[in-house]
Amino acid sequence: MKKGLFMIALLIFNLAFGQEKKKATDEEKLTKCILENTNYFTFNGQKPDGKGWDILENLFANNQFVAWGEYHNSPLLSQLTNYALESASKYGYKTWCAEISPFAAAELMRIAKSKNPLDTISRIANERPNFTTFPFFQTKEDIGMLTTANQFGYTIWGIDQEFQTAFPYCLDKVYQAQPKNTRERFKAVYDSLQASWWNPEAKLLDSLKKGIKQPNLKRVLDDIKISKDIYYYSDNQRRADLMKTNFYNYYDGLKTKNEKVFFKMGSNHLARGMNLETNLYDIGNAVYELAQRNKTNFSNVYIMVRYTEEEGVITDDLEEKNNQNPKVFSKLYDKDKWVLVDIRSLRLRMRYDNSLTSDTYKMIEKYDYVLVSPEILK
């Protein structure tokens, strides 16, 4: 009888101990993380205010590379970037890396120094009304970023392909920079290139390249040749390789390898590990590994928007079957505040028990912070 009672007591103890040691699911861990690591800030176009912004600003103090993975074409986000550039400059940042070509970066820096950059950009746009010459630098808020960058002495690094609809502008700049005799000699070549601007022939680009002397303009023609193939073949691998090549061309030219760089590019490019869309190792992973090599730090922020509006119709990404962002983060949306979640603590604690969606797991693996915008993107 005593033996039976002992066995029952032991069973009860083991059950109680087992319940005590029951491991939390990944969903429970994420819920706890969100409760403990979510902060907010407000922003009405003036200075951001709140602990969330203080945390973002502090990233510039503690990292060599800070990456803002953005959603594109947001005037509000461009306004916020003004303050990021200003904040970063306090901690020694003088380099801004953007999703544009090296030639576009040089042109934008030149335009930023002009008397009225917005007028200059508007004039270029009006001259080519059906062409986007400088992607992500079109609105007055975008040009505000250029003005701020110039004010605080930034160098802009353009590491991407040449934008396809910018080909005519680039070709014109190359051609018009030549002496009269060269223009006369290559007029037929130039006219043929412009006639098929969306896919100019490589042999014609090479012909014009051999006839000019300026190294920087030769590189523009090389960039067009590479870029047209990336577009034609939808070659994401080559684009990722080009971004890394262009980045290291800039980086290798530095006097010190401790240069601090602020990245503002499409969020997928700035993932740690593989790009979320292409499943290729992109520039974000390269810079992360460079920070490891330098024994410095890299931090990336996934910036997302829940609501978009097109032709008066508002779309809620949370309700979409093919959602763009993990729904668990869309649920955090606040119409009056920016919501910042620090998800770093989860990376080593995941059990991968399938209690979270696959896009949520990927977000946790690849980013340090998630920032949910309050805007309705138009």
Side-chain angles (χ1 to χ4, degrees), residues 27-60:
E27 184 178 19
E28 290 168 337
K29 290 175 185 175
L30 177 57
T31 300
K32 186 172 186 290
C33 173
I34 290 172
L35 287 171
E36 296 174 349
N37 296 284
T38 298
N39 289 280
Y40 308 87
F41 65 91
T42 57
F43 178 63
N44 60 1
Q46 302 303 313
K47 192 176 186 330
D49 181 53
K51 186 175 179 181
W53 178 254
D54 295 340
I55 292 169
L56 286 176
E57 190 172 40
N58 201 45
L59 297 182
F60 297 119

Side-chain angles (χ1 to χ4, degrees), residues 88 90 92 129-130 148 151 155 158 166 181 193 201 203 206 230 234 266 268 276 280 300 313 320 348 372:
K90 299 173 187 175
N130 297 318
T148 300
Q151 178 185 349
T155 299
N181 64 330
L193 288 169
E201 287 189 39
K203 66 180 181 181
D206 289 339
I230 291 173
S234 299
N268 291 319
L276 280 170
L280 298 169
N300 60 355
V313 177
E320 291 294 293
L348 297 177
V372 185

Side-chain angles (χ1 to χ4, degrees), residues 105-138:
E107 284 289 282
L108 288 170
M109 287 182 65
R110 176 183 65 80
I111 290 169
K113 292 179 172 63
S114 66
K115 185 176 181 180
N116 193 322
L118 181 58
D119 282 353
T120 304
I121 291 287
S122 297
R123 177 178 53 76
I124 292 171
N126 290 334
E127 288 171 354
R128 294 174 171 80
N130 297 318
F131 295 82
T132 298
T133 303
F134 301 115
F136 320 126
F137 290 90
Q138 300 177 74

Side-chain angles (χ1 to χ4, degrees), residues 233-248:
Y233 296 107
S234 299
D235 193 342
N236 289 315
Q237 181 66 69
R238 194 170 187 187
R239 186 183 180 195
D241 292 343
L242 179 65
M243 281 192 178
K244 287 179 272 191
T245 297
N246 284 336
F247 173 81
Y248 280 111

